[in-house]
Amino acid sequence: MRILVTGKSGQVSQSLQKLATDEEVELIVIGRPEIDFERPYNLEAEIIKIAPDVVISAAAYTMVDKAETDVEIAKKVNSEAPAIIATACKYLDIPLLHLSTDYVYSGEKIGAYVELDAANPKSVYGKTKLDGENAIASIYPNHVILRTAWVYSPFGKNFVKTMLALGESRDEISVVADQFGCPSSAMEIAKALIKIAKKVCSEKNDDLRGVFHIAGRGETNWSGFAKEIFELSGMNVKVNEIPSAAYPTPAVRPTNSRLDCDKLWDLYKIELPLWQDSLKECLKILKYTS
Ligand SMILES: NC(=O)c1ccc[n+]([C@@H]2O[C@H](COP(=O)([O-])OP(=O)(O)OC[C@H]3O[C@@H](n4cnc5c(N)ncnc54)[C@H](OP(=O)(O)O)[C@@H]3O)[C@@H](O)[C@H]2O)c1
């Protein structure tokens, strides 16, 4: 199976690149500098020229706070480029797997979000990602939109690596404790994406298409996440729990963006491991635990 992935150095893209040889798939990665979603003149033609069996759309403008002022760029990358990708997939008549985010939800729900809950993003990032989802859905039904959350990996920038770096120089740190979500390993997301790609390429069933949640099993808040990172890596760092109000950020984040992933289990029989187990695997690769 030939899979085209967008974005070269992203966490999910790099995780897919690491896995591809084991999974006997040919991965073709496209992205900057040759293809820049801010100027996507060659994006559609390039996908059509490569003619893969399936596209995994993993590139995105992910700087949540910077997006509040970089609105036009976030729109181009998160809303307009996915529409172009969907148009190319429609032309080739191949499935499109597109990653989206828990930040499409407002966070006001009590309990975990299900795919049928209304999306009502509070940030520019969340709005542009939701517009990208809607653009895909209006262009081409043969898509799987996968909303994930709190992604970390041994690659790129993420909360785990930030905490580890801070832990090297501090013995105390304050982390918000009133935003709840599901930490998700990019390595586990990548494994699941390959399984999903194989299934949608071989089965026409409409139920396999549409919006799905994919996130690490369990839940925590950022403070609990930080504590687990330090505990598992044997670092003696005290984590002080603070409210979001004590750590103001340009973008408003959902208070609760826990994702119910039952639909992914019901239709694909895919479930990500407990977030603490995947975190341990990531820390092993980073050589912070044995
Ligand atoms: N990170 C999270 O916590 C999180 C949470 C929920 C959902 N998601 C979603 O999950 C997906 C994967 O996230 P990730 O964590 O792997 O992302 P990431 O590590 O932040 O990487 C972003 C990727 O997007 C590419 N990109 C950004 N601007 C671009 C542009 N103008 N033109 C072309 N490519 C561009 C980057 O390209 P370069 O390789 O050139 O830098 C990089 O490959 C995204 O759709 C994201 O919205 C992420």
Side-chain angles (χ1 to χ4, degrees):
M1 187 175 54
R2 296 175 72 240
I3 303 180
L4 183 149
V5 181
T6 61
K8 291 184 184 172
S9 73
Q11 300 189 76
V12 171
S13 175
Q14 288 202 67
S15 302
L16 280 163
Q17 291 169 50
K18 204 163 169 48
L19 271 182
T21 42
D22 297 347
E23 298 288 336
E24 293 171 350
V25 297
E26 183 190 345
L27 211 67
I28 305 126
V29 182
I30 64 167
R32 296 184 290 193
E34 301 83 12
I35 294 171
D36 188 336
F37 288 8
E38 288 181 45
R39 289 170 289 278
Y41 316 114
N42 52 351
L43 176 57
E44 186 178 343
E46 190 64 18
I47 296 172
I48 291 172
K49 191 174 90 190
I50 293 166
D53 298 311
V54 56
V55 170
I56 297 180
S57 161
Y61 185 105
T62 54
M63 292 174 284
V64 177
D65 287 318
K66 208 159 171 263
E68 294 296 310
T69 44
D70 261 355
V71 181
E72 288 311 312
I73 297 178
K75 268 190 202 165
K76 282 198 163 80
V77 178
N78 292 346
S79 313
E80 295 171 21
I84 297 171
I85 296 168
T87 305
C89 290
K90 184 177 180 183
Y91 177 86
L92 293 168
D93 192 20
I94 55 165
L96 167 58
L97 273 48
H98 176 75
L99 283 158
S100 191
T101 174
D102 55 334
Y103 284 11
V104 299
Y105 296 116
S106 69
E108 283 144 15
K109 184 176 176 181
I110 311 287
Y113 280 90
V114 295
E115 291 82 348
L116 286 173
D117 283 323
N120 182 15
K122 296 291 181 206
S123 61
V124 169
Y125 168 70
K127 282 182 192 133
T128 57
K129 289 291 291 182
L130 182 61
D131 287 347
E133 289 187 12
N134 289 337
I136 291 170
S138 69
I139 290 167
Y140 187 44
N142 190 4
H143 65 262
V144 186
I145 289 167
L146 294 141
R147 293 178 181 155
T148 188
W150 299 24
V151 180
Y152 65 89
S153 71
F155 317 111
K157 286 187 192 158
N158 56 64
F159 183 79
V160 174
K161 291 174 77 178
T162 302
M163 288 302 116
L164 292 171
L166 287 172
E168 295 289 355
S169 58
R170 298 208 207 158
D171 51 19
E172 199 167 336
I173 185 172
S174 296
V175 184
V176 298
D178 57 0
Q179 289 170 23
F180 292 83
C182 310
S184 305
S185 154
M187 299 288 286
E188 294 298 334
I189 294 170
K191 281 184 212 164
L193 284 168
I194 291 177
K195 284 188 197 157
I196 294 166
K198 286 180 178 166
K199 201 163 168 76
V200 284
C201 281
S202 60
E203 293 181 33
K204 293 269 181 234
N205 182 359
D206 285 347
D207 291 346
L208 297 172
R209 275 80 183 167
V211 177
F212 288 80
H213 290 164
I214 181 167
R217 201 148 57 80
E219 62 185 65
T220 187
N221 58 56
W222 290 109
S223 186
F225 194 6
K227 284 179 193 170
E228 190 73 16
I229 293 164
F230 295 131
E231 167 101 31
L232 288 174
S233 53
M235 294 171 106
N236 194 14
V237 180
K238 180 168 182 267
V239 176
N240 299 316
E241 299 187 359
I242 57 165
S244 304
Y247 186 75
T249 52
V252 177
R253 286 155 171 81
T255 305
N256 163 39
S257 62
R258 290 177 292 135
L259 300 177
D260 180 315
C261 300
D262 284 357
K263 187 179 170 192
L264 191 67
W265 174 253
D266 291 344
L267 286 155
Y268 283 93
K269 293 288 170 271
I270 291 173
E271 180 181 59
L272 264 48
L274 267 178
W275 69 267
Q276 294 94 329
D277 293 342
S278 303
L279 174 60
K280 200 166 185 186
E281 290 306 310
C282 176
L283 292 171
K284 267 188 210 164
I285 297 172
L286 290 168
K287 306 219 180 307
Y288 272 87
T289 189
S290 51

